[in-house]
Amino acid sequence: MTNTAARRPNRRGEGGKLRDDILAAAAGLIEETGSEQAVTLREVARRIGIAAPSIYEHFPNRDAIVDAVIDAGFAELQTSLTRAMEGEADPLSRLRAGCIAYLRFAARRPSEYRILFGRRSRIRVRLTPLRTHALGALVAALRDCAAAGQCVSSDPDADALMVWAALHGYALLRASWPSLGWPAPGGAVDQILSGYTSAAGP
Amino acid sequence: MTNTAARRPNRRGEGGKLRDDILAAAAGLIEETGSEQAVTLREVARRIGIAAPSIYEHFPNRDAIVDAVIDAGFAELQTSLTRAMEGEADPLSRLRAGCIAYLRFAARRPSEYRILFGRRSRIRVRLTPLRTHALGALVAALRDCAAAGQCVSSDPDADALMVWAALHGYALLRASWPSLGWPAPGGAVDQILSGYTSAAGP
DNA sequence: TGTACATCAGTGAACGCGCGTTCACTGATGTAC
DNA sequence: TGTACATCAGTGAACGCGCGTTCACTGATGTAC
């Protein structure tokens, strides 16, 4: 009911390790239950094999744990996006690579993804840097495509919003109902981008 | 702290009215807080001005209230879709009208919409009839468009999934971040459908 | 090499809270006679 | 028209639960001398 193997204290100077364990347990809880509410001090403590008050050594309160998981999630998404895009020279390939990396992240941590882009006000504040940096990269890629004559986008910012929305919807619905015959991420991205990257007019 | 105006019991034979009040209070709580967890027996009772145990006259337990709100939400979405579509004769107009009605519902009850298509297993079971009826109507409209030469869809079922995903993403993101410069529902639908309904090949 | 001691990394018990749910009950409202 | 009574539409108090958080504490580990 409590922990199976009672854990022994970290050595001196290694107290910080517990922080990582707490974050990992919280992220695991979110992913397994699909709910942020499942992250309780007592359940996290149970999973690691510590007493609940020990958490206060590393986090000021319960919400701070969830916040830290969210921060880590945004950071991981951002590096995934950046890495995937910087590997491609061609603007259209870069855009495509960024979109696929986005969907891959969502598929890797579906519950965390849903929470990252969910409704909490704390998250919305935090989204701003992501939007300007990571999604900004998508906008830039779209703009590059337009400049290179690879897409017909007349308003790259607005088009990037709609591309983002399509990715978001695909990521969420596919995670919730996997067996509806969804195309794979690559095919979905091609499908989505085709509305914006078809050959320009006369 | 409790209720402002103490409510007096319904007359004989009108006990069922309380059921409607409970549902309305629960739906209001979901919409205001954005969270299904906010629906507690005690808070619902507080809002109506009754004692919490009175709810057991109308619902077997807490979850049954949320289930009933969800059922009502799906029913409303379905009739909205059906009504909007049956008013249009042209297949493409019908498809467009259905999509716009879908987005309008999501804009009218953003929190309820998020919960309807959220993660609970109970909801997923319940989605099946909606998917076959309401979304099935979208698939049928897409198929009609293809048959009428109004769109290039080679696989209407797969295309309908992607259209649904785009609508879903737009609905959720716009509700969460309204000030990002989103196109209006009509424009968004045109944008989304343009990828599937552009003039057919040579 | 030995020992006193500071400090690090946690623990155990307890608190108050809101919750879902149960249970015996109550007061107004209609109905039978 | 009057009255006893069944029943409807609820109520109030209490239960046990898991939760976040506080508080005084403890035992192992390293360090100074």
Side-chain angles (χ1 to χ4, degrees):
Chain A
M1 290 307 137
T2 62
N3 53 310
T4 41
R7 158 206 183 99
R8 65 182 53 246
N10 284 310
R11 323 195 73 159
R12 280 211 167 188
E14 299 179 347
K17 283 185 181 170
L18 184 53
R19 192 190 143 92
D20 298 338
D21 290 351
I22 292 168
L23 280 183
L29 267 167
I30 286 176
E31 215 47 71
E32 286 169 37
T33 67
S35 164
E36 178 214 310
Q37 327 276 341
V39 179
T40 68
L41 290 178
R42 293 176 125 103
E43 182 58 30
V44 165
R46 249 173 252 133
R47 295 214 157 191
I48 319 181
I50 58 168
S54 306
I55 294 176
Y56 286 93
E57 207 63 31
H58 302 281
F59 296 92
N61 52 47
R62 187 217 90 118
D63 286 355
I65 303 176
V66 178
D67 283 354
V69 171
I70 287 169
D71 282 340
F74 273 136
E76 188 187 329
L77 172 56
Q78 183 151 341
T79 60
S80 292
L81 272 189
T82 307
R83 263 189 209 146
M85 294 178 75
E86 72 191 7
E88 305 286 337
D90 179 51
L92 184 54
S93 307
R94 206 159 68 240
L95 176 61
R96 202 178 108 89
C99 291
I100 290 177
Y102 188 94
L103 293 185
R104 291 241 169 91
F105 174 85
R108 204 158 59 235
R109 308 174 182 271
S111 299
E112 190 170 331
Y113 175 80
R114 185 162 20 77
I115 286 165
L116 288 188
F117 293 98
R119 84 196 154 72
R120 323 163 99 227
S121 51
R122 270 176 293 166
I123 296 174
R124 293 195 200 159
V125 171
R126 202 157 283 142
L127 181 65
T128 309
L130 176 81
R131 202 160 45 71
T132 47
H133 294 130
L135 298 182
L138 288 187
V139 176
L142 247 180
R143 195 175 280 131
D144 290 350
C145 287
Q150 289 179 303
C151 73
V152 293
S153 181
S154 59
D155 183 347
D157 290 272
D159 288 349
L161 272 183
M162 292 302 289
V163 168
W164 179 31
L167 295 173
H168 187 60
Y170 170 90
L172 290 177
L173 291 180
R174 194 182 188 208
S176 290
W177 293 278
S179 57
L180 298 186
W182 298 97
V189 169
D190 289 342
Q191 180 88 264
I192 290 167
L193 292 182
S194 73
Y196 304 90
T197 58
S198 48
Chain B
M1 284 308 137
T2 61
N3 52 308
T4 41
R7 159 206 183 98
R8 64 182 54 244
N10 284 309
R11 323 197 73 160
R12 281 210 166 191
E14 298 178 349
K17 282 185 181 171
L18 183 52
R19 191 192 143 92
D20 298 338
D21 291 351
I22 292 168
L23 280 183
L29 267 167
I30 286 177
E31 215 47 71
E32 286 169 37
T33 66
S35 164
E36 177 215 312
Q37 326 275 340
V39 179
T40 68
L41 290 179
R42 293 176 125 105
E43 182 57 30
V44 165
R46 248 173 254 133
R47 295 215 156 192
I48 318 181
I50 58 168
S54 306
I55 294 175
Y56 286 94
E57 207 64 31
H58 303 281
F59 296 92
N61 52 49
R62 188 216 90 118
D63 286 354
I65 302 175
V66 177
D67 283 354
V69 171
I70 287 169
D71 281 341
F74 273 134
E76 189 187 329
L77 172 56
Q78 183 151 343
T79 61
S80 292
L81 273 189
T82 307
R83 263 187 211 150
M85 294 179 75
E86 73 192 5
E88 304 286 338
D90 178 51
L92 185 53
S93 307
R94 206 158 69 240
L95 177 59
R96 203 179 107 90
C99 291
I100 290 176
Y102 187 93
L103 293 185
R104 291 240 169 91
F105 174 85
R108 203 158 60 237
R109 309 175 181 270
S111 300
E112 190 170 331
Y113 175 80
R114 186 162 18 77
I115 286 164
L116 288 187
F117 293 99
R119 85 198 153 70
R120 322 164 98 225
S121 52
R122 271 175 293 165
I123 295 174
R124 293 194 200 161
V125 171
R126 202 156 283 142
L127 181 65
T128 310
L130 176 81
R131 202 158 46 70
T132 47
H133 294 130
L135 299 182
L138 288 188
V139 176
L142 246 180
R143 196 175 280 132
D144 291 350
C145 288
Q150 288 178 302
C151 72
V152 293
S153 181
S154 59
D155 184 347
D157 290 272
D159 288 348
L161 273 182
M162 292 302 290
V163 168
W164 179 30
L167 295 173
H168 186 61
Y170 171 89
L172 290 177
L173 291 181
R174 194 181 188 207
S176 290
W177 293 278
S179 59
L180 298 186
W182 298 98
V189 168
D190 288 342
Q191 180 88 263
I192 290 167
L193 292 181
S194 72
Y196 303 91
T197 58
S198 48

